[in-house]
Amino acid sequence: MNKVRIAAFAALILFPLAGFAADKKSPPPEVKTLLAAQGEKNMLPGGGWFAWKFTGKPKLGTVIVRVELFGKDGKPAKDLEFVGESGMPAMRYHDSGPVKFQLNKKGYYLLPVDVVMAGEWQLVIRVKKAKKEIYAGKVLFSV
């Protein structure tokens, strides 16, 4: 009888915890590569490059990040996907999670970044081709 009670108690305690652990997603790997400064080339594997910039000085509120993509020939391209993640490295409560850049009519990839408090911020830009990540770099900035 005690074995049945112990087994029932264990099932009530351990099974919900096992489900909780299985649902939790692991964070993406840390990106150590720093991106080139605003407007400068970031070379991509296989040729081509991209340049990024803030459309205005980062401040509290929403700041837009703009990425321009160029092919091997130096002409504007639109064949890759950009995903951004923003947050405060010292305070993970404000992390955006992965957000896809949106391609506008002019061929710029745009991402709004919500800066909710002053401090040190990080933006990670991931580049994907056919849903496979081919490049990732980060930008550190202060508000």
Side-chain angles (χ1 to χ4, degrees):
M1 185 73 163
N2 278 341
K3 289 181 182 178
V4 173
R5 286 184 189 169
I6 292 171
F9 179 74
L12 288 172
I13 299 298
L14 296 178
F15 288 131
L17 292 176
F20 176 75
D23 289 344
K24 191 165 180 124
K25 294 181 182 178
S26 60
E30 182 182 351
V31 176
K32 297 187 185 230
T33 304
L34 288 175
L35 292 173
Q38 291 190 60
E40 294 186 14
K41 292 181 181 181
N42 292 279
M43 301 306 292
L44 294 169
W49 55 276
F50 73 94
W52 71 274
K53 75 175 194 171
F54 292 113
T55 58
K57 183 178 178 183
K59 59 183 178 182
L60 290 177
T62 302
V63 62
I64 305 295
V65 179
R66 182 174 103 178
V67 170
E68 293 182 65
L69 175 64
F70 298 90
K72 293 180 199 177
D73 57 4
K75 294 181 181 176
K78 300 176 188 174
D79 59 339
L80 298 178
E81 180 180 317
F82 289 86
V83 176
E85 300 169 32
S86 61
M88 298 181 81
M91 191 179 294
R92 293 296 186 194
Y93 303 109
H94 303 298
D95 288 358
S96 69
V99 179
K100 186 177 175 182
F101 280 73
Q102 297 299 311
L103 186 62
N104 72 4
K105 291 179 182 181
K106 294 182 179 180
Y108 302 138
Y109 293 86
L110 303 173
L111 177 75
V113 174
D114 292 324
V115 178
V116 296
M117 68 184 297
E120 301 298 316
W121 283 78
Q122 172 179 283
L123 169 67
V124 174
I125 297 177
R126 298 180 187 278
V127 184
K128 295 183 178 188
K129 183 173 189 172
K131 300 195 184 234
K132 182 179 178 188
E133 186 173 302
I134 61 170
Y135 182 89
K138 67 182 177 181
V139 175
L140 302 172
F141 62 99
S142 297
V143 176

